Amino acid sequence: MSTTPGKLGFNATWAMAVGGMIGGGIFSTLGVVVGIAGSLAWLSFVAAGLIALAAGYSYVKLAAHCNRGGGAFTFLLAVNQRNFAGTLAWVLIVGYVLTNAVYAVTFGEYLGHVIGLGPWVPRVTGIAIIALFILPNLRGVGVTGGVEILLVWFKVVALLGLASWGLIHWNPPALSQGVPDASLIAALFGAASVFMAYEGFQLLTYDYEDIDNPKRTLPRAVLSAIIVVILIYVMVALGTTMLIGADHVILHKEVALAIAGEKAFGTVGLVLVTIAAAFSTGSAINATLFATARLTHRVALDGELPAAVDHHNRQGAPDRAVIGLGVIAAVLVATGSLIALVEAASLTFLFTFAVVCTLAFRLRAGHRLITGFGAATGALACVALVVQLLQSDPLALVFLGVLVLIALFGRPLLLRKLGTRQP
C-alpha cells in the first residue's frame, strides 16, 4: 500500500515510536532498575511495558475518538477540562525537560567514559549536546522519517547483538551477584522508577496530522513498537547483567552497557555501544526538544502559557520555547543526579499516562478492560514511586511537589499578569 507524499507511512511511524522509547531509556535506566529490583530487573521492564502498552492503546484510541493529535492536553480540552488540561500541560512539559536532561547526562557519561579526562566531562558534554541541538530546532528542522529509520535500526542491531552475546553465555547467578535477594514488590518498585524508558511513543500524537491514514497506521505502529521495545529491554537487562554481573551494573550504572560491550567484544564493543548511545540520546534530545516546542506552541495558542512564550523567528520556529526548554534542561544536567532525574521524569509520565487511560475509560474509547487496567496500574505505580522517592530522594519529590503547586495555583495568577492569547 503506497504512502501519501509528504506523510509518514507505517515504517517511519514505527521507527519514530521505537526511537522515542529507546532514545536513551535503556542506556540510562538499566543500572537504576537493577539497583532496585536486582535479579528481577527484567520483570520490572515487563511490568512497566504492560502499563505503557495500555497507555499506548488509550492514546491511539483517544486520538481516533477525538480525530486530532496533540496528546493529553488536547484530549482534555476536547471534553471541556480546560483548567486540568492547562495544569497537566505544565507538568508534562516539565517531564519532557527532565527527560532531555536524562538523555544529555547519559550522552555525557558514555562519551566521558571513552575519553576519560575527568568527572567534569559528562556534565560539560551533556550541556554541549543540548546546545548543539538547539541550533537545528531554531531553524525549524525536526527529525526526518528516513534518518530516524536508519538510526533506529542501528540502535536495535547494536543492543540485540550485545544482549544476544550475553544470553549465549547463559549465567543466571550473575543476575543476583552482589545484590540482595529480589522480591516481586522490589520488581514493581523498579518498574515505577524507570517508567520513563517507555515514554516517547506519545510524541507521535503531536504528529497525528502528518501520518498517512492515522486511524490505521498509528495503532499498528505504536502498539507493535511498544511490544518490540519490551522484548529488547528484557533481552538487554538479562544479557548485559549476565555479562558483567548485577554488582557491576550498579557500580557503573551510568555506562553499564559500555562496560558490557567492552567485556564482550573489547575496544570494538566499547566503541560500538558508545556510538549507539550517542546516536540514541542525540536523536532523542532533538526529537523531544522539537516535539516539546510544538506542544508549548499548542498550549500557548489555547491560552495556557504566556503569549510571549509563543514567539516565532523568521524560520517559523518557536525560538523562545526552544531556548527556554534547552536552558532549563542544561541547568538540570549541571545540578541533578541521574537517579533523581530518571525517577522524577518517570513520575510525571506515570501520572500523565494514568490520566489518559482514565479519560479513555470514561469516554469508552477502546476496550474498557484495557484502559481501566492502564488507569489502575498507572495510579498504583505513581503511589509506589512516591513512596520510593520519600525513602530515597525526598528532595526530588519536594521539587516536583512545588512544580505541581505552581501549575495548580500559581499558573492562573501568572497567566493573568503576563497575558495570554485568546483560546
Side-chain angles (χ1 to χ4, degrees):
M1 186 175 178
S2 61
T3 301
T4 304
K7 296 282 188 176
L8 295 170
F10 173 81
N11 289 337
T13 306
W14 183 88
M16 291 176 74
V18 172
M21 287 179 279
I22 292 183
I26 192 65
F27 292 97
S28 56
T29 61
L30 181 59
V32 176
V33 72
V34 171
I36 297 171
S39 61
L40 293 180
W42 64 271
L43 185 57
S44 295
F45 283 115
V46 172
L50 291 176
I51 300 174
L53 197 57
Y57 177 84
S58 299
Y59 265 93
V60 298
K61 288 298 182 181
L62 280 172
H65 180 83
C66 300
N67 197 28
R68 63 187 299 194
F73 176 70
T74 54
F75 297 155
L76 286 169
L77 285 183
V79 294
N80 298 316
Q81 295 289 332
R82 173 167 295 278
N83 189 50
F84 188 24
T87 300
L88 187 64
W90 282 42
V91 172
L92 191 55
I93 290 169
V94 169
Y96 287 134
V97 172
L98 287 165
T99 301
N100 256 351
V102 171
Y103 294 155
V105 169
T106 303
F107 175 90
E109 291 289 353
Y110 275 84
L111 189 61
H113 177 70
V114 172
I115 298 174
L117 292 180
W120 56 271
V121 172
R123 302 290 177 172
V124 172
T125 52
I127 294 171
I129 193 65
I130 289 177
L132 178 65
F133 281 111
I134 285 176
L135 298 177
N137 277 278
L138 288 177
R139 297 200 304 270
V141 180
V143 180
T144 64
V147 171
E148 189 64 22
I149 291 173
L150 179 65
L151 290 176
V152 164
W153 279 112
F154 176 79
K155 293 181 286 189
V156 167
V157 169
L159 288 172
L160 289 180
L162 177 63
S164 298
W165 188 260
L167 291 173
I168 289 172
H169 296 80
W170 188 257
N171 183 22
L175 298 176
S176 55
Q177 180 178 304
V179 295
D181 292 337
S183 67
L184 183 59
I185 296 297
L188 296 178
F189 275 109
S193 298
V194 295
F195 190 76
M196 67 144 288
Y198 287 102
E199 79 82 22
F201 68 82
Q202 83 285 356
L203 295 178
L204 284 170
T205 61
Y206 305 142
D207 302 319
Y208 186 81
E209 289 77 14
D210 299 322
I211 297 173
D212 187 39
N213 192 5
K215 289 187 177 182
R216 172 178 168 82
T217 302
L218 194 61
R220 293 169 60 230
V222 167
L223 299 181
S224 62
I226 294 173
I227 293 171
V228 168
V229 169
I230 292 173
L231 295 175
I232 292 173
Y233 284 174
V234 169
M235 289 181 64
V236 171
L238 290 171
T240 301
T241 309
M242 286 185 183
L243 275 174
I244 63 176
D247 53 347
H248 281 81
V249 172
I250 297 171
L251 180 63
H252 304 287
K253 58 181 172 290
E254 294 87 356
V255 292
L257 269 66
I259 300 294
E262 186 174 21
K263 182 168 183 180
F265 307 111
T267 302
V268 173
L270 172 65
V271 171
L272 284 177
V273 172
T274 301
I275 292 173
F279 279 165
S280 293
T281 52
S283 65
I285 290 169
N286 188 33
T288 305
L289 189 59
F290 182 73
T292 310
R294 293 179 73 175
L295 173 62
T296 302
H297 165 65
R298 177 74 262 174
V299 175
L301 280 181
D302 279 287
E304 294 298 333
L305 276 172
V309 172
D310 191 34
H311 180 271
H312 286 67
N313 60 19
R314 293 181 179 178
Q315 286 74 35
D319 50 353
R320 292 176 185 172
V322 168
I323 293 172
L325 294 167
V327 168
I328 296 171
V331 171
L332 291 173
V333 170
T335 59
S337 71
L338 180 64
I339 294 177
L341 290 171
V342 167
E343 292 180 334
S346 293
L347 185 56
T348 61
F349 289 112
L350 273 171
F351 177 73
T352 302
F353 287 7
V355 169
V356 170
C357 290
T358 301
L359 184 60
F361 181 84
R362 287 182 57 194
L363 294 179
R364 297 183 181 273
H367 294 290
R368 300 188 88 191
L369 182 64
I370 300 175
T371 57
F373 169 81
T377 53
L380 287 173
C382 281
V383 174
L385 188 48
V386 168
V387 172
Q388 172 77 13
L389 286 170
L390 283 172
Q391 298 173 349
S392 63
D393 198 345
L395 285 179
L397 192 59
V398 170
F399 169 73
L400 284 176
V402 170
L403 290 176
V404 170
L405 289 175
I406 292 174
L408 277 172
F409 303 110
R411 177 179 56 86
L413 298 174
L414 185 65
L415 294 178
R416 279 199 296 269
K417 183 175 182 180
L418 296 180
T420 63
R421 299 189 187 279
Q422 290 299 318

